[in-house]
Amino acid sequence: NSALQAVGVAAAVRDREGQPVVYCGVGDGTTQQGEYLEAVGEAVRRRLPVLFVVQDNRYAISTPTAGSTFFSLPSGRARDFLGLPIEEVDGRDPATAFDRLGQAVAAMRADRAPRLLVFSVERLSSHTSADDQRIYRDADELARAELAGDPVRNLRQGLLAAGVAEAKLAAIEAELVAAVAEAQAAALAGSEPAASVTAKAAVPAELVQAASESSPAADAAPLTIREALNGVLRERLAHDERVVVYGQDIADPKGDVFGVTRGLSAEFPQRVFNAPLTESTIVGTGI
């Protein structure tokens, strides 16, 4: 669902100044959710600047994901998905990962197209406090993960090898620990959240005032419901550039199963258009 919302945000910001990039990060298990697969497909179809990042630690809770994802197939690692190249990144190496991520973002800002990065990482602890990974991961695997899989430890070792003083690293670490402790204390000292019974936005006055409604002339021909709906949509499209009509089978020549939108895509081609046959994508993009 969040992936589809990212696609919707990317569609909204695609042409704004500043060339923003929308980020969507998930774990390897989540990539097999239908909404995620739909989101990647929509980003590819509409060429949206969404940076899809997958943290591949090879487990979805206790289920091994090797050979069971779109990037890890029974035949081996895939090179692309829906025509979108899959870029493999070693997430255990922060310096390399930083460079690769920067290159991807720079490229997206230039061509406004999506990117898909799969970071190989280690899961350094159990999935949750209700999980014990020692049951399904052998001791040797866990030892290797602890020894070489912690990107923070790897970064520290790399900085020391590059000549950064141990005292400087210790000072940085102490500063970060203090910042986290301060944030934790502030959160715990905060007031309990209060329930809101007025969270629903008020309906604009012009939508509920009878005086703002127009009535047909006395000698006007009667309208069917379809004709009335079509007229309202045409009027709103003509007078409010924020209005977009997006759904299945609504474009001309059919113009909706019942003809409600007939003629509108011809008159407003950039704002009335068909969606792919993916209901979750329509909802996510709408959000």
Side-chain angles (χ1 to χ4, degrees), residues 156-182:
R156 166 181 272 276
Q157 292 173 345
L159 291 171
L160 290 172
V164 179
E166 172 71 39
K168 184 173 183 178
L169 296 181
I172 293 174
E173 184 175 5
E175 181 181 346
L176 294 174
V177 169
V180 171
E182 182 180 353

Side-chain angles (χ1 to χ4, degrees), residues 57 59-62 123 125-133 136:
N57 62 27
Y59 287 94
I61 308 181
S62 64
R123 199 179 73 187
S125 61
S126 298
H127 179 71
T128 66
S129 59
D131 175 47
D132 184 355
Q133 63 180 353
Y136 51 88

Side-chain angles (χ1 to χ4, degrees), residues 182-205:
E182 182 180 353
Q184 181 186 36
L188 293 174
S191 60
E192 290 296 318
S196 172
V197 295
T198 59
K200 185 177 179 180
V203 178

Side-chain angles (χ1 to χ4, degrees), residues 88-102 117-122 124 145 147-159:
E88 301 272 1
V89 181
D90 185 358
R92 307 170 189 85
D93 179 357
T96 298
F98 181 83
D99 288 341
R100 293 288 302 279
L101 195 61
L117 275 61
V118 176
F119 279 63
S120 293
V121 297
E122 292 289 351
L124 301 175
L147 180 65
D150 186 342
V152 176
R153 178 183 294 176
N154 293 342
L155 179 60
R156 166 181 272 276
Q157 292 173 345
L159 291 171

Side-chain angles (χ1 to χ4, degrees), residues 36 50-56 70-71 77-81 83-91 96-108 111 113-121:
Y36 183 84
V50 183
L51 177 60
F52 293 100
V53 173
V54 178
Q55 298 180 49
D56 179 19
F70 69 78
F71 54 87
R77 304 293 285 190
R79 302 182 64 180
D80 63 82
F81 178 59
L84 186 61
I86 298 173
E87 303 180 41
E88 301 272 1
V89 181
D90 185 358
T96 298
F98 181 83
D99 288 341
R100 293 288 302 279
L101 195 61
Q103 292 166 11
V105 171
M108 292 176 67
D111 64 17
R115 292 293 190 281
L116 176 56
L117 275 61
V118 176
F119 279 63
S120 293
V121 297

